[in-house]
Amino acid sequence: MPLIDENLLGFLPHQLLDLPIPAAAVANGQLLAFRRAAYDRLGGHAAVAGEIVEDLALGRLTRRKGLKLGLALGGDLVSTRMYDGYRSTVRGTGKSMRAAHGGSDALLAASAAWHLAAYTLPWLRWNHGPAWRLAAVLGLAERVLSNAKTGRGAYAEAALVPFTAPAALPVYALALRRTAVWKGRRYR
């Protein structure tokens, strides 16, 4: 799950959320807030009932309907525990990853490669010069800063940075499948 923080904070150009670009739509299903009129105009969750990643589908629908879309950190106001362990995290995140990458195998592969190159490879190349050590330390610093920004705390988890990307590979493997099963339903 830490890679999601990096993606939302580091790679999502938040300024695009104000532009009428459907692909820039994003939403986080743990907490969605709507004005009643906007939710009704969208057709509510019923409008995306067949989608495996309904929060993202609602975000994209919001954009297509010309409504305002935003993303905010919950800070001390909200918290969530989406999954109860590694296995459920892989299943839950794996079923969503394809949609988050626009259904593109190339983007999924590029994302996995980027995370391995940015967070794991520098540690493996530590003894191969100061540039590799700097890259390793910057990846660690990014994790600490992401935790500070999100209010997650748990700064000691930054020590897991080299292992996070390899641990996410099963998520990508699930996402590369053409179908997903979630809560007893099959999605294409």
Side-chain angles (χ1 to χ4, degrees):
M1 296 307 294
L3 293 178
I4 291 174
D5 292 342
E6 271 95 26
N7 288 334
L8 290 175
L9 293 172
F11 295 108
L12 176 68
H14 287 257
Q15 296 81 3
L16 290 180
L17 294 176
D18 290 330
L19 300 174
I21 302 171
V26 68
N28 192 312
Q30 290 77 26
L31 178 64
L32 301 170
F34 299 90
R35 294 186 188 271
R36 170 52 76 185
Y39 189 70
D40 290 344
R41 183 171 168 198
L42 293 172
H45 277 75
V48 295
E51 300 289 335
I52 192 167
V53 187
E54 76 285 346
D55 55 355
L56 186 54
L58 270 171
R60 290 177 177 157
L61 180 60
T62 299
R63 182 52 50 85
R64 283 194 309 273
K65 298 269 186 172
L67 299 171
K68 186 165 176 57
L69 181 65
L71 187 64
L73 293 170
D76 292 334
L77 298 174
V78 295
S79 66
T80 185
R81 181 162 180 94
M82 293 173 52
Y83 307 111
D84 62 2
Y86 178 71
R87 225 175 247 215
S88 64
T89 301
V90 168
R91 279 193 311 269
T93 309
K95 63 96 177 157
S96 303
M97 193 71 82
R98 176 170 282 286
H101 287 77
S104 169
D105 289 348
L107 282 178
L108 282 165
S111 176
W114 163 256
H115 286 109
L116 286 166
Y119 302 114
T120 304
L121 186 60
W123 292 97
L124 296 173
R125 306 283 301 167
W126 180 270
N127 291 328
H128 289 86
W132 288 108
R133 288 189 287 280
L134 176 63
V137 171
L138 288 174
L140 185 76
E142 182 189 32
R143 177 73 255 154
V144 170
L145 291 171
S146 292
N147 279 16
K149 179 70 175 172
T150 61
R152 180 193 297 261
Y155 297 107
E157 80 176 16
L160 299 175
V161 162
F163 308 103
T164 304
L169 290 176
V171 172
Y172 286 100
L174 276 177
L176 286 167
R177 295 181 180 174
R178 296 287 179 220
T179 60
V181 176
W182 185 246
K183 295 187 177 181
R185 296 181 298 255
R186 182 174 292 282
Y187 297 86
R188 289 196 68 67

